[in-house]
Structures are given as structure tokens and as C-alpha cells.
């Protein structure tokens, strides 16, 4: 994938604030153990949920990653959190995929950008 | 660096919410052009500012990265934004280092973790 293609796809296209963000920083365990497949499925499934606005994600080669998902409301976040298929993924995240994670829910109040 | 060392250093140790976050997602231009040196310096300098709480950062091999810095207040963020040496770095970021970025200021309301 070229840099230009990544620029198109990596950034979330969001409305004006306010909206909510879920900042999920995490350290992967070694090995895949079904992670990539489930991660792709969760991105796809999240995008179908009411109130979903977008997602941005980066993972370094050492396995440390940050995923920020954006939502219209706290209710939308709570509904996604309790989604049955997502709960199965959360369980596997706790037992298999993440050595450590921090999850923070934050209300975006202001936004700026440099776009080419 | 081993996974265990990264776990120690990659996660910010933060107080209980509320506090503020600056979510900076960005696509690097090709080449270094002084970026790594300045990025290290900005991490060092930010940590000396009043109200600084911590930082987490991940960049993928395609040059897309997310850095989230954490602050005690909006005033602390505004002061850091207008810091003279940081402004020079911002200018170089606009002209040299970032093809595209999005900067979002968000108030963290809740936090959860899995820690080993």
C-alpha cells in the first residue's frame, strides 16, 4: 500500500465535535492466535453499529498499539461494549491477545487538522 | 527492547479521571529530515511542562502514527501548544514531517485497564 492510499484510509472522517472517543492502548502477546482475523471482523462489525463514527489505529513492530474509535454518544459506546460478538472478542483479548491494555473514554471537544 | 520492557515504558501512568487528552493521528512524509531528534526532544520537553501527565505513542511501518498525550487541564494544553520551542517543532511538522494530521482534544471521563 502506498503512502497516498494510507492517507485516504487511515484517518477517520468525523463530524464537528462534540463526539466521543475510546482510546485503546495495548500491548499484544506474541503470536497471532486468531487475533488478526478477529480484529478485522471487529472493525467491520463496529462500523455497522448505531452511533459509530470512525476508527484510527496504529501498531508498532514491538506489538504496542493504539486504536481510537469514535462514537456519537456514551450510549453508543455502551451498546457496542455489550454486543454479543464483541464480548466474545473482549474475552479472548483478556485471555489470549493482550498482555496489558488501557481503555479510556473521552469526549472530544475540539479538533484541528492539516490535510493535503 | 523486549516486550516486558515495552510494557513498562509504553503505557502512561495516569491519575483517576477526569483529565484531558490530545489525540494526534498523523501520516509522516518519507525520510527523517530531523524528525526523530525533534520528536525525542518534544517528549522530553513536554514532560517538563506544568500539568503534563503522560504520553503513549505507536507508529506503524507505513508511517501512520497515533500519539496521545495526557494533561491535567485545557490550560496546560494551551500553554504547551504556545511553548516557543514546541512552536518551532509545529512549524517543521506542518512544512516537513507530516503529510496529514488530525489533532483532537478530549476530556477523559472513564478509564479501565488490564494489567499483568
Amino acid at each position: 500500500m502506498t503512502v497516498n492510499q494510507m492517507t485516504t484510509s487511515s484517518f477517520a472522517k468525523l463530524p464537528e465535535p462534540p463526539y466521543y472517543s475510546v482510546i485503546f492502548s495495548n500491548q499484544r502477546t506474541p503470536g497471532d492466535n486468531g487475533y488478526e482475523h478477529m480484529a478485522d471482523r471487529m472493525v467491520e462489525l463496529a462500523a455497522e453499529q448505531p452511533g459509530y463514527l470512525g476508527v484510527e489505529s496504529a501498531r508498532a513492530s514491538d506489538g504496542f498499539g493504539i486504536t481510537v474509535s469514535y462514537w456519537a454518544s456514551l450510549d453508543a459506546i455502551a451498546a457496542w461494549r455489550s454486543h454479543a460478538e464483541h464480548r466474545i472478542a473482549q474475552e479472548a483479548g483478556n485471555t489470549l491477545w493482550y498482555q496489558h491494555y488501557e481503555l479510556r473514554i473521552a469526549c472530544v471537544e475540539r479538533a484541528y487538522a492539516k490535510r493535503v
Side-chain angles (χ1 to χ4, degrees), chain A:
Chain A
M1 210 175 281
T2 70
V3 167
N4 277 329
Q5 285 173 313
M6 286 310 300
T7 301
T8 306
S9 61
S10 296
F11 292 95
K13 288 182 174 51
L14 300 176
E16 290 297 301
Y19 47 82
Y20 277 87
S21 59
V22 179
I23 305 166
F24 180 61
S25 55
N26 60 82
Q27 179 69 50
R28 286 274 286 110
T29 50
D32 182 66
N33 299 313
Y35 171 78
E36 291 293 346
H37 177 76
M38 184 70 101
D40 288 347
R41 171 65 184 147
M42 286 305 110
V43 166
E44 181 182 87
L45 192 62
E48 296 168 2
Q49 304 309 306
Y52 170 88
L53 299 176
V55 68
E56 294 174 340
S57 195
R59 185 174 308 283
S61 54
D62 60 23
F64 184 76
I66 300 175
T67 295
V68 188
S69 60
Y70 298 96
W71 300 87
S73 68
L74 287 175
D75 283 349
I77 292 170
W80 170 232
R81 190 177 191 180
S82 61
H83 185 290
E85 194 175 338
H86 187 203
R87 287 184 78 102
I88 293 169
Q90 288 166 45
E91 188 58 34
N94 278 314
T95 57
L96 275 179
W97 298 323
Y98 300 118
Q99 178 174 344
H100 177 162
Y101 63 73
E102 303 280 339
L103 191 152
R104 300 180 179 104
I105 297 177
C107 183
V108 177
E109 301 179 359
R110 307 179 199 181
Y112 313 87
K114 177 203 171 184
R115 301 190 180 96
V116 284

